[in-house]
Each structure stands twice: as structure tokens, then as C-alpha cells.
């Protein structure tokens, strides 16, 4: 029985060693990470590409300012310091399609509609909360801030 356990352990160690050697030769390591650290320029380029995909803004154009709606396939994209909201209108009823807090913020309260007014509150770790109220005007979401 001891020989069987010893043989099994030796086989397991050999198989693990072979797998680590192959992964090392392939350059991916055990975690699949190449170990390449991005430079600040590479980080900016990656963030710019991700922002362009998320907002649909072509390269070189300014991204929307806080509270400025921008059309997306699902509705209007509204960006604020507290987070991002996508809202759409059907007649005079507004619906919040999605909402996402910015870094260091959390969602405190949501009234997604459909209703005449929708609301989302983004609560920061420190400081004042950002409260968005959204209504429809001429079939388009209109944003106001505050109570």
C-alpha cells in the first residue's frame, strides 16, 4: 500500500512539474498573465478605447459633460460625477434602463419607473450625494439635480 501511495505522489509531482514547465515555456505562467505591465500611455489608450466603445464617441471628440444626455441604443446616456444612467421615454413616461455608480460611490435609492419622474441617488464614501431626477419632455429624457 505504501508503494502505491508513493507511486501516486511521484506521478502527481512529475505531472505538476511538467505542466509548470510547459506553461513557463509558453510564457503565460500559472495565472495566464504574461507579466507585462502597462505604461501610462498604454493605460490612457486602453481607457480611451473603452470610453469610445461605451459612449459611442469617436476618437478625438470630447466625451459628454456631467448631466449631458447622449443617445445610445437603449436610450439617453447621462453622466454625472456620481455615476451613469441610461434613461428612455415612451410618451411622457420615463424608465431608467440602467444605472452604475462611479468609483467611490454607491447607489442609495432608485425609482426606475416607468413613471412621470424617475430618480436615482448616488452616495459617495465622503461628501454630498448626487441625486438625479429624470422626466420626459417632447419624448426625450430631461435631467434635474437635487431634492
Amino acid at each position: 500500500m505504501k508503494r502505491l501511495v508513493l507511486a501516486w505522489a511521484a506521478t502527481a509531482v512529475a505531472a505538476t512539474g511538467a505542466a509548470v514547465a510547459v506553461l513557463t515555456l509558453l510564457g503565460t505562467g500559472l495565472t495566464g498573465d504574461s507579466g507585462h505591465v502597462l505604461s501610462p500611455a498604454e493605460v490612457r489608450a486602453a481607457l480611451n478605447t473603452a470610453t469610445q466603445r461605451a459612449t459611442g464617441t469617436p476618437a478625438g471628440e470630447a466625451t459628454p459633460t456631467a448631466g449631458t444626455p447622449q443617445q445610445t441604443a437603449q436610450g439617453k446616456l447621462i453622466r454625472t460625477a456620481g455615476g451613469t444612467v441610461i434613461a428612455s421615454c415612451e410618451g411622457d413616461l420615463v424608465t431608467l434602463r440602467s444605472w452604475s455608480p462611479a468609483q467611490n460611490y454607491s447607489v442609495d435609492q432608485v425609482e426606475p419607473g416607468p413613471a412621470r419622474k424617475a430618480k436615482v441617488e448616488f452616495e459617495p464614501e465622503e461628501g454630498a450625494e448626487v441625486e438625479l431626477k429624470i422626466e420626459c419632455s417632447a419624448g426625450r429624457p430631461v435631467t434635474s439635480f437635487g431634492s
Side-chain angles (χ1 to χ4, degrees):
M1 182 67 162
K2 283 185 182 181
R3 285 184 185 176
L4 183 62
V5 171
L6 189 57
W8 177 86
T11 303
V13 169
T16 302
V20 169
V22 168
L23 289 173
T24 302
L25 287 173
L26 293 175
T28 59
L30 287 175
T31 62
D33 184 52
S34 66
H36 174 73
V37 177
L38 297 177
S39 70
E42 290 171 317
V43 170
R44 280 190 295 279
L47 286 172
N48 188 29
T49 300
T51 300
Q52 290 170 19
R53 285 184 190 144
T55 65
T57 305
E61 288 187 20
T63 55
T65 57
T68 303
Q70 181 179 3
Q71 186 65 43
T72 70
Q74 297 84 20
K76 291 285 184 175
L77 174 68
I78 304 163
R79 298 173 139 225
T80 70
T84 305
V85 176
I86 295 178
S88 66
C89 291
E90 190 162 321
D92 59 353
L93 298 180
V94 64
T95 301
L96 302 184
R97 300 289 178 195
S98 69
W99 50 91
S100 178
Q103 186 172 359
N104 298 322
Y105 281 80
S106 61
V107 175
D108 185 38
Q109 183 180 13
V110 178
E111 295 173 14
R116 293 208 182 270
K117 285 187 181 183
K119 180 172 94 170
V120 63
E121 294 178 12
F122 296 113
E123 178 108 9
E125 290 178 4
E126 294 180 10
E129 72 179 17
V130 176
E131 181 179 320
L132 286 167
K133 290 184 178 180
I134 304 167
E135 300 177 75
C136 291
S137 176
R140 296 180 163 235
V142 177
T143 307
S144 61
F145 297 90
S147 332

